[in-house]
Amino acid sequence: MTDKSESQSIPAGLRQIARTFSRTGWISFWSQVVLGVISGIVLLVSSAFGGNTNANQNNPGTGFGAFLAVCGLLVLGGSIYMAFRYTIIAKQLQSPNPSGRPRKADTIQVLRLGLMVNLAGMLITLFGAYAIVGTLVGKSISQGQTALLDPNRVISGLDMFVVQANINTIGAHFVGIVATLWLLNRISRT
Protein backbone atom coordinates (compact mmCIF):
# COMPACT_ATOMS: atom_id res chain seq x y z
CA MET A 1 0.00 0.00 0.00
CA THR A 2 1.27 3.46 -0.80
CA ASP A 3 2.00 5.75 2.10
CA LYS A 4 0.52 9.21 2.46
CA SER A 5 3.57 11.04 1.12
CA GLU A 6 3.51 9.03 -2.12
CA SER A 7 -0.20 9.67 -2.73
CA GLN A 8 0.33 13.37 -2.01
CA SER A 9 3.13 13.55 -4.61
CA ILE A 10 0.62 12.63 -7.31
CA PRO A 11 -1.45 15.63 -8.42
CA ALA A 12 -5.15 15.44 -7.49
CA GLY A 13 -6.27 15.69 -11.14
CA LEU A 14 -4.01 12.80 -12.10
CA ARG A 15 -5.35 10.68 -9.23
CA GLN A 16 -8.90 11.38 -10.42
CA ILE A 17 -8.04 10.37 -13.98
CA ALA A 18 -6.36 7.21 -12.70
CA ARG A 19 -9.50 6.30 -10.72
CA THR A 20 -11.64 7.00 -13.78
CA PHE A 21 -9.42 4.79 -15.94
CA SER A 22 -9.54 2.02 -13.36
CA ARG A 23 -13.31 2.06 -12.86
CA THR A 24 -14.16 2.48 -16.51
CA GLY A 25 -11.63 -0.13 -17.58
CA TRP A 26 -12.96 -2.74 -15.17
CA ILE A 27 -16.62 -2.01 -15.97
CA SER A 28 -15.88 -2.23 -19.68
CA PHE A 29 -13.76 -5.36 -19.23
CA TRP A 30 -16.32 -7.34 -17.26
CA SER A 31 -19.30 -6.19 -19.32
CA GLN A 32 -17.57 -7.25 -22.51
CA VAL A 33 -16.42 -10.55 -21.03
CA VAL A 34 -19.95 -11.46 -19.91
CA LEU A 35 -21.56 -10.48 -23.22
CA GLY A 36 -18.77 -12.18 -25.20
CA VAL A 37 -19.01 -15.43 -23.26
CA ILE A 38 -22.79 -15.50 -23.70
CA SER A 39 -22.42 -14.87 -27.43
CA GLY A 40 -19.74 -17.53 -27.75
CA ILE A 41 -21.84 -20.13 -25.95
CA VAL A 42 -24.89 -19.28 -28.05
CA LEU A 43 -22.89 -19.59 -31.28
CA LEU A 44 -21.40 -22.90 -30.14
CA VAL A 45 -24.84 -24.28 -29.28
CA SER A 46 -26.19 -23.02 -32.59
CA SER A 47 -23.39 -24.61 -34.61
CA ALA A 48 -23.49 -27.86 -32.62
CA PHE A 49 -27.22 -28.39 -32.97
CA GLY A 50 -28.04 -26.62 -36.21
CA GLY A 51 -24.91 -26.71 -38.34
CA ASN A 52 -25.66 -29.92 -40.22
CA THR A 53 -29.30 -29.39 -41.07
CA ASN A 54 -30.37 -29.20 -44.68
CA ALA A 55 -32.06 -25.85 -44.01
CA ASN A 56 -28.80 -24.18 -43.01
CA GLN A 57 -26.92 -25.64 -45.99
CA ASN A 58 -29.42 -24.03 -48.38
CA ASN A 59 -29.09 -20.58 -46.76
CA PRO A 60 -25.66 -19.15 -47.52
CA GLY A 61 -26.54 -15.92 -45.69
CA THR A 62 -26.85 -17.74 -42.39
CA GLY A 63 -23.44 -19.39 -42.77
CA PHE A 64 -21.72 -16.15 -43.80
CA GLY A 65 -23.52 -14.28 -41.03
CA ALA A 66 -22.39 -16.82 -38.46
CA PHE A 67 -18.83 -16.56 -39.80
CA LEU A 68 -18.92 -12.79 -39.38
CA ALA A 69 -20.40 -13.22 -35.90
CA VAL A 70 -17.41 -15.38 -34.95
CA CYS A 71 -15.05 -12.78 -36.48
CA GLY A 72 -16.81 -10.11 -34.40
CA LEU A 73 -16.22 -12.23 -31.30
CA LEU A 74 -12.53 -12.56 -32.14
CA VAL A 75 -12.24 -8.78 -32.48
CA LEU A 76 -14.11 -8.52 -29.17
CA GLY A 77 -11.20 -10.41 -27.63
CA GLY A 78 -8.95 -7.52 -28.71
CA SER A 79 -11.43 -5.06 -27.27
CA ILE A 80 -11.44 -6.91 -23.95
CA TYR A 81 -7.65 -6.70 -23.93
CA MET A 82 -7.86 -2.95 -24.56
CA ALA A 83 -10.26 -2.54 -21.61
CA PHE A 84 -7.79 -4.44 -19.43
CA ARG A 85 -5.02 -2.21 -20.74
CA TYR A 86 -6.95 0.82 -19.46
CA THR A 87 -6.67 -0.62 -15.94
CA ILE A 88 -2.93 -1.03 -16.42
CA ILE A 89 -2.69 2.60 -17.50
CA ALA A 90 -4.57 3.51 -14.31
CA LYS A 91 -1.91 1.78 -12.22
CA GLN A 92 0.87 3.47 -14.17
CA LEU A 93 -0.74 6.88 -13.68
CA GLN A 94 -0.60 6.36 -9.92
CA SER A 95 3.16 5.89 -9.98
CA PRO A 96 4.93 8.29 -7.59
CA ASN A 97 7.79 8.51 -10.11
CA PRO A 98 6.74 10.91 -12.92
CA SER A 99 8.97 9.09 -15.42
CA GLY A 100 6.96 5.88 -14.78
CA ARG A 101 3.71 7.51 -15.84
CA PRO A 102 2.55 7.29 -19.44
CA ARG A 103 2.52 10.54 -21.39
CA LYS A 104 -0.85 12.05 -22.26
CA ALA A 105 -0.19 11.64 -26.00
CA ASP A 106 0.63 7.94 -25.54
CA THR A 107 -2.51 7.40 -23.48
CA ILE A 108 -4.65 9.11 -26.09
CA GLN A 109 -3.05 6.90 -28.76
CA VAL A 110 -4.00 3.77 -26.78
CA LEU A 111 -7.56 5.06 -26.43
CA ARG A 112 -7.76 5.73 -30.18
CA LEU A 113 -6.57 2.21 -30.88
CA GLY A 114 -9.24 0.85 -28.52
CA LEU A 115 -11.87 2.91 -30.30
CA MET A 116 -10.77 1.59 -33.71
CA VAL A 117 -10.82 -2.00 -32.49
CA ASN A 118 -14.37 -1.58 -31.17
CA LEU A 119 -15.60 0.19 -34.29
CA ALA A 120 -14.11 -2.51 -36.53
CA GLY A 121 -15.65 -5.24 -34.39
CA MET A 122 -19.03 -3.55 -34.42
CA LEU A 123 -18.90 -3.14 -38.20
CA ILE A 124 -18.01 -6.79 -38.78
CA THR A 125 -20.75 -7.95 -36.40
CA LEU A 126 -23.31 -5.62 -37.99
CA PHE A 127 -22.55 -7.09 -41.41
CA GLY A 128 -23.06 -10.54 -39.90
CA ALA A 129 -26.38 -9.44 -38.45
CA TYR A 130 -27.43 -8.01 -41.81
CA ALA A 131 -26.67 -11.32 -43.53
CA ILE A 132 -28.51 -13.40 -40.94
CA VAL A 133 -31.53 -11.12 -40.66
CA GLY A 134 -31.73 -10.85 -44.46
CA THR A 135 -31.85 -14.62 -44.70
CA LEU A 136 -34.50 -14.83 -42.00
CA VAL A 137 -36.62 -12.15 -43.69
CA GLY A 138 -36.38 -14.11 -46.94
CA LYS A 139 -37.48 -17.25 -45.13
CA SER A 140 -40.39 -15.50 -43.45
CA ILE A 141 -41.64 -13.91 -46.66
CA SER A 142 -41.54 -17.20 -48.55
CA GLN A 143 -42.78 -19.19 -45.58
CA GLY A 144 -46.53 -18.86 -46.05
CA GLN A 145 -48.30 -22.18 -46.25
CA THR A 146 -45.49 -23.93 -48.10
CA ALA A 147 -43.50 -24.17 -44.87
CA LEU A 148 -45.31 -27.38 -44.04
CA LEU A 149 -44.00 -28.89 -47.26
CA ASP A 150 -40.52 -27.36 -47.29
CA PRO A 151 -38.55 -27.43 -44.01
CA ASN A 152 -35.90 -25.15 -45.56
CA ARG A 153 -38.32 -22.23 -45.23
CA VAL A 154 -39.02 -22.66 -41.53
CA ILE A 155 -37.36 -20.17 -39.18
CA SER A 156 -35.91 -22.21 -36.35
CA GLY A 157 -35.05 -21.20 -32.83
CA LEU A 158 -31.39 -21.79 -33.65
CA ASP A 159 -31.61 -19.09 -36.32
CA MET A 160 -32.80 -16.71 -33.64
CA PHE A 161 -29.91 -17.77 -31.38
CA VAL A 162 -27.43 -16.52 -33.97
CA VAL A 163 -29.30 -13.19 -34.11
CA GLN A 164 -29.15 -12.99 -30.30
CA ALA A 165 -25.41 -13.74 -30.32
CA ASN A 166 -24.86 -10.93 -32.81
CA ILE A 167 -26.88 -8.48 -30.75
CA ASN A 168 -24.88 -9.38 -27.62
CA THR A 169 -21.61 -8.90 -29.50
CA ILE A 170 -22.77 -5.56 -30.90
CA GLY A 171 -23.72 -4.56 -27.35
CA ALA A 172 -20.28 -5.56 -26.08
CA HIS A 173 -18.57 -3.46 -28.74
CA PHE A 174 -20.92 -0.59 -27.89
CA VAL A 175 -19.84 -0.81 -24.24
CA GLY A 176 -16.22 -0.62 -25.39
CA ILE A 177 -16.93 2.41 -27.59
CA VAL A 178 -18.76 4.25 -24.81
CA ALA A 179 -16.01 3.49 -22.27
CA THR A 180 -13.29 4.66 -24.64
CA LEU A 181 -15.13 7.84 -25.59
CA TRP A 182 -15.75 8.53 -21.88
CA LEU A 183 -12.03 8.15 -21.15
CA LEU A 184 -11.07 10.31 -24.13
CA ASN A 185 -13.44 12.98 -22.85
CA ARG A 186 -12.00 12.81 -19.34
CA ILE A 187 -8.38 12.93 -20.45
CA SER A 188 -9.05 15.77 -22.89
CA ARG A 189 -10.32 17.96 -20.04
CA THR A 190 -6.92 17.93 -18.33
Side-chain angles (χ1 to χ4, degrees):
M1 185 117 196
T2 61
D3 64 7
K4 193 169 185 150
S5 65
E6 283 182 355
S7 67
Q8 288 178 348
S9 68
I10 302 170
L14 190 59
R15 277 190 305 228
Q16 182 61 34
I17 288 174
R19 278 191 296 258
T20 302
F21 263 78
S22 181
R23 284 187 198 126
T24 305
W26 283 119
I27 290 169
S28 177
F29 175 84
W30 285 110
S31 299
Q32 291 181 70
V33 165
V34 168
L35 289 169
V37 166
I38 291 170
S39 293
I41 291 170
V42 167
L43 285 174
L44 281 174
V45 167
S46 172
S47 67
F49 292 110
N52 296 328
T53 64
N54 191 25
N56 284 342
Q57 292 172 354
N58 292 334
N59 292 316
T62 304
F64 183 65
F67 169 74
L68 289 176
V70 170
C71 290
L73 273 177
L74 292 175
V75 176
L76 182 61
S79 175
I80 291 169
Y81 167 75
M82 294 305 295
F84 182 72
R85 193 164 173 192
Y86 301 158
T87 65
I88 293 171
I89 290 173
K91 289 179 185 175
Q92 292 172 343
L93 288 172
Q94 295 173 353
S95 172
N97 182 5
S99 64
R101 298 178 196 145
R103 295 180 321 159
K104 184 177 181 178
D106 294 337
T107 304
I108 289 173
Q109 193 66 21
V110 169
L111 291 170
R112 286 182 180 160
L113 177 63
L115 188 60
M116 292 301 177
V117 167
N118 279 299
L119 286 171
M122 186 178 261
L123 181 67
I124 291 167
T125 309
L126 278 171
F127 282 146
Y130 290 147
I132 293 166
V133 170
T135 302
L136 294 179
V137 167
K139 277 183 175 182
S140 70
I141 289 172
S142 67
Q143 193 168 329
Q145 294 182 358
T146 60
L148 299 173
L149 304 174
D150 188 3
N152 293 335
R153 294 185 179 168
V154 175
I155 297 175
S156 71
L158 292 174
D159 291 332
M160 298 312 292
F161 264 164
V162 177
V163 172
Q164 181 64 46
N166 269 349
I167 290 171
N168 288 346
T169 306
I170 290 168
H173 284 296
F174 180 75
V175 166
I177 290 169
V178 169
T180 304
L181 288 175
W182 172 258
L183 291 173
L184 274 170
N185 183 20
R186 290 284 149 213
I187 200 168
S188 297
R189 289 183 176 188
T190 61

Coordinates of all heavy atoms in Angstrom, one line a residue, residues 64-123:
F64 N -22.6 -17.3 -43.7 CA -21.7 -16.2 -43.8 C -21.9 -15.2 -42.6 O -21.0 -14.7 -42.0 CB -22.0 -15.4 -45.1 CG -21.0 -14.2 -45.3 CD1 -19.7 -14.4 -45.4 CD2 -21.5 -12.9 -45.3 CE1 -18.8 -13.3 -45.6 CE2 -20.7 -11.8 -45.5 CZ -19.3 -12.0 -45.6
G65 N -23.2 -15.1 -42.2 CA -23.5 -14.3 -41.0 C -22.9 -14.9 -39.8 O -22.4 -14.1 -38.9
A66 N -23.0 -16.2 -39.6 CA -22.4 -16.8 -38.5 C -20.9 -16.7 -38.5 O -20.2 -16.5 -37.4 CB -22.8 -18.3 -38.4
F67 N -20.3 -16.8 -39.7 CA -18.8 -16.6 -39.8 C -18.4 -15.2 -39.3 O -17.5 -15.0 -38.6 CB -18.4 -16.8 -41.3 CG -17.0 -16.4 -41.5 CD1 -15.9 -17.1 -41.1 CD2 -16.7 -15.2 -42.2 CE1 -14.6 -16.7 -41.3 CE2 -15.4 -14.8 -42.5 CZ -14.4 -15.5 -42.0
L68 N -19.2 -14.2 -39.8 CA -18.9 -12.8 -39.4 C -19.2 -12.6 -37.9 O -18.5 -11.8 -37.2 CB -19.7 -11.8 -40.2 CG -19.3 -11.6 -41.7 CD1 -20.2 -10.7 -42.4 CD2 -17.9 -11.2 -41.8
A69 N -20.1 -13.3 -37.3 CA -20.4 -13.2 -35.9 C -19.2 -13.7 -35.1 O -18.8 -13.2 -34.1 CB -21.7 -14.0 -35.5
V70 N -18.6 -14.8 -35.6 CA -17.4 -15.4 -35.0 C -16.2 -14.4 -35.1 O -15.5 -14.2 -34.1 CB -17.1 -16.8 -35.5 CG1 -15.7 -17.2 -35.1 CG2 -18.1 -17.8 -35.2
C71 N -16.1 -13.8 -36.3 CA -15.1 -12.8 -36.5 C -15.3 -11.6 -35.5 O -14.3 -11.1 -35.0 CB -15.0 -12.3 -37.9 SG -14.5 -13.5 -39.1
G72 N -16.5 -11.2 -35.3 CA -16.8 -10.1 -34.4 C -16.4 -10.5 -33.0 O -15.9 -9.7 -32.2
L73 N -16.6 -11.8 -32.6 CA -16.2 -12.2 -31.3 C -14.7 -12.2 -31.1 O -14.2 -11.9 -30.1 CB -16.8 -13.6 -31.0 CG -18.1 -13.7 -30.5 CD1 -18.6 -15.2 -30.3 CD2 -18.2 -13.1 -29.1
L74 N -14.0 -12.6 -32.2 CA -12.5 -12.6 -32.1 C -12.0 -11.1 -31.9 O -11.1 -10.9 -31.1 CB -11.9 -13.2 -33.4 CG -12.2 -14.7 -33.6 CD1 -11.6 -15.2 -34.9 CD2 -11.5 -15.5 -32.4
V75 N -12.6 -10.2 -32.7 CA -12.2 -8.8 -32.5 C -12.6 -8.3 -31.1 O -11.9 -7.5 -30.5 CB -12.9 -7.9 -33.6 CG1 -12.6 -6.4 -33.3 CG2 -12.4 -8.3 -34.9
L76 N -13.7 -8.9 -30.5 CA -14.1 -8.5 -29.2 C -13.0 -8.9 -28.2 O -12.8 -8.3 -27.2 CB -15.4 -9.2 -28.8 CG -16.0 -8.9 -27.4 CD1 -16.2 -7.4 -27.3 CD2 -17.3 -9.7 -27.2
G77 N -12.3 -10.0 -28.5 CA -11.2 -10.4 -27.6 C -10.1 -9.3 -27.6 O -9.6 -9.0 -26.5
G78 N -9.9 -8.7 -28.7 CA -9.0 -7.5 -28.7 C -9.5 -6.3 -27.9 O -8.8 -5.6 -27.2
S79 N -10.8 -6.1 -28.0 CA -11.4 -5.1 -27.3 C -11.4 -5.3 -25.8 O -11.1 -4.4 -25.0 CB -12.9 -4.9 -27.7 OG -13.5 -4.0 -26.9
I80 N -11.5 -6.5 -25.4 CA -11.4 -6.9 -24.0 C -10.0 -6.7 -23.5 O -9.8 -6.1 -22.4 CB -11.9 -8.4 -23.7 CG1 -13.4 -8.5 -24.0 CG2 -11.5 -8.9 -22.3 CD1 -13.9 -9.9 -24.0
Y81 N -9.0 -7.0 -24.3 CA -7.6 -6.7 -23.9 C -7.4 -5.2 -23.8 O -6.7 -4.8 -22.8 CB -6.7 -7.3 -25.0 CG -5.3 -6.7 -24.8 CD1 -4.5 -7.2 -23.8 CD2 -4.8 -5.7 -25.7 CE1 -3.2 -6.7 -23.6 CE2 -3.5 -5.2 -25.5 CZ -2.7 -5.7 -24.5 OH -1.5 -5.2 -24.3
M82 N -8.0 -4.4 -24.7 CA -7.9 -3.0 -24.6 C -8.5 -2.4 -23.3 O -7.9 -1.5 -22.6 CB -8.5 -2.3 -25.8 CG -7.8 -2.5 -27.1 SD -6.0 -2.2 -27.1 CE -6.0 -0.4 -26.9
A83 N -9.6 -3.0 -22.9 CA -10.3 -2.5 -21.6 C -9.4 -2.9 -20.4 O -9.2 -2.1 -19.5 CB -11.6 -3.2 -21.5
F84 N -8.7 -4.1 -20.5 CA -7.8 -4.4 -19.4 C -6.6 -3.5 -19.4 O -6.0 -3.1 -18.4 CB -7.4 -5.9 -19.6 CG -6.4 -6.4 -18.5 CD1 -6.9 -6.6 -17.2 CD2 -5.1 -6.6 -18.7 CE1 -6.1 -7.0 -16.2 CE2 -4.3 -7.0 -17.7 CZ -4.7 -7.2 -16.5
R85 N -6.2 -3.1 -20.6 CA -5.0 -2.2 -20.7 C -5.3 -0.9 -20.1 O -4.4 -0.2 -19.5 CB -4.7 -2.0 -22.2 CG -3.3 -1.4 -22.4 CD -2.9 -1.6 -23.8 NE -1.7 -0.8 -24.1 CZ -1.2 -0.6 -25.2 NH1 -1.7 -1.1 -26.3 NH2 -0.1 0.2 -25.4
Y86 N -6.6 -0.4 -20.1 CA -7.0 0.8 -19.5 C -6.7 0.7 -18.0 O -6.3 1.7 -17.3 CB -8.4 1.2 -19.7 CG -8.8 1.3 -21.2 CD1 -10.1 1.2 -21.6 CD2 -7.9 1.6 -22.1 CE1 -10.5 1.4 -22.9 CE2 -8.2 1.8 -23.5 CZ -9.5 1.6 -23.8 OH -9.9 1.8 -25.2
T87 N -6.9 -0.5 -17.4 CA -6.7 -0.6 -15.9 C -5.2 -0.6 -15.6 O -4.8 -0.1 -14.6 CB -7.3 -1.9 -15.4 OG1 -6.7 -3.0 -16.0 CG2 -8.8 -2.0 -15.7
I88 N -4.4 -1.1 -16.6 CA -2.9 -1.0 -16.4 C -2.5 0.4 -16.5 O -1.6 0.8 -15.7 CB -2.2 -1.9 -17.5 CG1 -2.6 -3.4 -17.2 CG2 -0.7 -1.7 -17.5 CD1 -2.1 -4.3 -18.3
I89 N -3.0 1.2 -17.4 CA -2.7 2.6 -17.5 C -3.0 3.3 -16.2 O -2.3 4.2 -15.7 CB -3.4 3.3 -18.7 CG1 -2.8 2.7 -20.0 CG2 -3.3 4.8 -18.6 CD1 -3.5 3.2 -21.3
A90 N -4.2 2.9 -15.6 CA -4.6 3.5 -14.3 C -3.5 3.3 -13.2 O -3.2 4.2 -12.5 CB -5.9 2.9 -13.9
K91 N -3.0 2.1 -13.2 CA -1.9 1.8 -12.2 C -0.6 2.6 -12.5 O 0.0 3.1 -11.6 CB -1.6 0.3 -12.2 CG -2.7 -0.5 -11.6 CD -2.3 -2.0 -11.7 CE -3.5 -2.8 -11.1 NZ -3.3 -4.3 -11.3
Q92 N -0.3 2.7 -13.8 CA 0.9 3.5 -14.2 C 0.7 5.0 -13.8 O 1.7 5.6 -13.5 CB 1.2 3.3 -15.7 CG 1.6 1.9 -16.0 CD 1.7 1.7 -17.5 OE1 1.1 2.5 -18.3 NE2 2.4 0.6 -17.9
L93 N -0.5 5.5 -14.0 CA -0.7 6.9 -13.7 C -0.6 7.2 -12.2 O -0.3 8.3 -11.8 CB -2.1 7.3 -14.1 CG -2.4 7.4 -15.6 CD1 -3.8 7.6 -16.0 CD2 -1.5 8.6 -16.2
Q94 N -0.7 6.2 -11.4 CA -0.6 6.4 -9.9 C 0.8 6.2 -9.4 O 1.1 6.3 -8.2 CB -1.5 5.4 -9.2 CG -3.0 5.6 -9.4 CD -3.9 4.6 -8.9 OE1 -3.4 3.6 -8.4 NE2 -5.2 4.8 -8.9
S95 N 1.8 6.0 -10.3 CA 3.2 5.9 -10.0 C 3.7 7.2 -9.4 O 3.5 8.3 -9.9 CB 4.0 5.5 -11.2 OG 5.4 5.6 -10.9
P96 N 4.4 7.1 -8.2 CA 4.9 8.3 -7.6 C 6.1 8.9 -8.4 O 6.4 10.1 -8.3 CB 5.4 7.8 -6.2 CG 5.5 6.4 -6.3 CD 4.6 5.9 -7.4
N97 N 6.7 8.1 -9.3 CA 7.8 8.5 -10.1 C 7.2 9.1 -11.4 O 6.6 8.3 -12.2 CB 8.7 7.3 -10.4 CG 9.9 7.7 -11.2 OD1 10.1 8.9 -11.5 ND2 10.7 6.7 -11.6
P98 N 7.3 10.3 -11.7 CA 6.7 10.9 -12.9 C 7.2 10.3 -14.2 O 6.5 10.2 -15.2 CB 7.2 12.4 -12.9 CG 7.4 12.7 -11.4 CD 7.9 11.4 -10.8
S99 N 8.5 9.7 -14.2 CA 9.0 9.1 -15.4 C 8.3 7.7 -15.7 O 8.4 7.2 -16.8 CB 10.5 8.9 -15.4 OG 10.8 8.1 -14.3
G100 N 7.7 7.2 -14.6 CA 7.0 5.9 -14.8 C 5.5 6.0 -15.3 O 4.9 5.0 -15.6
R101 N 5.1 7.3 -15.4 CA 3.7 7.5 -15.8 C 3.7 7.6 -17.4 O 4.6 8.2 -17.9 CB 3.2 8.8 -15.2 CG 3.1 8.8 -13.7 CD 2.6 10.1 -13.2 NE 2.8 10.2 -11.8 CZ 3.2 11.3 -11.2 NH1 3.2 12.4 -11.8 NH2 3.4 11.3 -9.9
P102 N 2.6 7.1 -18.0 CA 2.6 7.3 -19.4 C 2.3 8.8 -19.8 O 1.6 9.5 -19.0 CB 1.4 6.4 -19.8 CG 0.6 6.2 -18.6 CD 1.5 6.3 -17.4
R103 N 2.8 9.2 -20.9 CA 2.5 10.5 -21.4 C 1.1 10.6 -21.9 O 0.5 9.6 -22.3 CB 3.5 10.9 -22.5 CG 4.9 11.0 -22.1 CD 5.8 11.4 -23.3 NE 5.3 10.7 -24.5 CZ 5.6 11.1 -25.7 NH1 6.4 12.1 -25.9 NH2 5.2 10.4 -26.8
K104 N 0.5 11.8 -21.8 CA -0.9 12.0 -22.3 C -1.0 11.6 -23.7 O -2.0 11.0 -24.1 CB -1.2 13.5 -22.0 CG -2.7 13.8 -22.4 CD -3.0 15.3 -22.1 CE -4.4 15.6 -22.4 NZ -4.7 17.0 -22.0
A105 N -0.1 12.0 -24.6 CA -0.2 11.6 -26.0 C -0.2 10.1 -26.2 O -1.0 9.6 -27.0 CB 1.0 12.3 -26.8
D106 N 0.6 9.4 -25.4 CA 0.6 7.9 -25.5 C -0.7 7.3 -25.1 O -1.2 6.4 -25.7 CB 1.8 7.4 -24.7 CG 3.1 7.7 -25.3 OD1 3.2 8.1 -26.5 OD2 4.1 7.7 -24.5
T107 N -1.2 7.9 -24.0 CA -2.5 7.4 -23.5 C -3.6 7.6 -24.5 O -4.5 6.8 -24.7 CB -2.8 8.1 -22.1 OG1 -1.7 7.9 -21.2 CG2 -4.1 7.5 -21.5
I108 N -3.6 8.8 -25.1 CA -4.6 9.1 -26.1 C -4.5 8.2 -27.3 O -5.5 7.7 -27.8 CB -4.6 10.6 -26.5 CG1 -5.1 11.5 -25.4 CG2 -5.4 10.9 -27.8 CD1 -4.9 13.0 -25.6
Q109 N -3.3 7.8 -27.7 CA -3.1 6.9 -28.8 C -3.6 5.5 -28.4 O -4.2 4.9 -29.3 CB -1.5 6.8 -29.1 CG -1.2 6.1 -30.4 CD -1.7 6.9 -31.6 OE1 -2.0 8.1 -31.5 NE2 -1.9 6.2 -32.7
V110 N -3.4 5.1 -27.2 CA -4.0 3.8 -26.8 C -5.5 3.8 -26.8 O -6.2 2.9 -27.3 CB -3.5 3.4 -25.4 CG1 -4.3 2.2 -24.8 CG2 -2.0 3.1 -25.4
L111 N -6.1 4.9 -26.4 CA -7.6 5.1 -26.4 C -8.1 5.1 -27.9 O -9.1 4.5 -28.2 CB -8.0 6.3 -25.7 CG -7.8 6.3 -24.2 CD1 -8.0 7.7 -23.6 CD2 -8.7 5.3 -23.5
R112 N -7.4 5.7 -28.8 CA -7.8 5.7 -30.2 C -7.7 4.3 -30.8 O -8.6 3.9 -31.5 CB -6.9 6.7 -31.0 CG -7.2 8.1 -30.7 CD -6.3 9.0 -31.6 NE -6.7 10.4 -31.3 CZ -5.9 11.4 -31.6 NH1 -4.7 11.2 -32.2 NH2 -6.2 12.6 -31.3
L113 N -6.7 3.6 -30.4 CA -6.6 2.2 -30.9 C -7.7 1.4 -30.4 O -8.3 0.6 -31.1 CB -5.2 1.6 -30.4 CG -5.0 0.1 -30.8 CD1 -5.0 -0.1 -32.3 CD2 -3.8 -0.4 -30.2
G114 N -8.1 1.6 -29.1 CA -9.2 0.9 -28.5 C -10.5 1.2 -29.2 O -11.4 0.3 -29.5
L115 N -10.7 2.5 -29.6 CA -11.9 2.9 -30.3 C -11.9 2.3 -31.7 O -13.0 1.8 -32.1 CB -11.9 4.4 -30.4 CG -13.1 5.1 -31.0 CD1 -14.3 4.8 -30.1 CD2 -12.9 6.6 -31.0
M116 N -10.8 2.2 -32.4 CA -10.8 1.6 -33.7 C -11.1 0.1 -33.6 O -11.8 -0.4 -34.5 CB -9.4 1.8 -34.4 CG -9.1 3.2 -34.7 SD -10.4 3.8 -35.9 CE -9.9 5.5 -36.1
V117 N -10.5 -0.6 -32.6 CA -10.8 -2.0 -32.5 C -12.3 -2.2 -32.3 O -12.9 -3.1 -32.9 CB -10.0 -2.6 -31.3 CG1 -10.5 -4.0 -30.9 CG2 -8.5 -2.6 -31.6
N118 N -12.9 -1.4 -31.4 CA -14.4 -1.6 -31.2 C -15.2 -1.2 -32.4 O -16.2 -1.9 -32.7 CB -14.8 -0.7 -30.0 CG -14.5 -1.4 -28.7 OD1 -15.0 -2.5 -28.4 ND2 -13.6 -0.8 -27.9
L119 N -14.8 -0.2 -33.1 CA -15.6 0.2 -34.3 C -15.5 -0.9 -35.4 O -16.5 -1.2 -36.0 CB -15.1 1.5 -34.8 CG -15.6 2.8 -34.0 CD1 -14.9 4.0 -34.5 CD2 -17.1 2.9 -34.1
A120 N -14.3 -1.4 -35.5 CA -14.1 -2.5 -36.5 C -14.9 -3.7 -36.1 O -15.6 -4.4 -37.0 CB -12.6 -2.9 -36.7
G121 N -14.9 -4.1 -34.9 CA -15.7 -5.2 -34.4 C -17.1 -5.0 -34.5 O -17.9 -5.9 -35.0
M122 N -17.6 -3.8 -34.3 CA -19.0 -3.6 -34.4 C -19.4 -3.6 -35.9 O -20.5 -4.2 -36.2 CB -19.4 -2.2 -33.8 CG -20.9 -1.9 -33.8 SD -21.3 -0.3 -33.1 CE -21.8 -0.9 -31.5
L123 N -18.6 -3.1 -36.8 CA -18.9 -3.1 -38.2 C -19.0 -4.6 -38.7 O -19.9 -4.9 -39.4 CB -17.8 -2.3 -39.0 CG -18.0 -2.3 -40.5 CD1 -19.3 -1.5 -40.8 CD2 -16.8 -1.7 -41.2

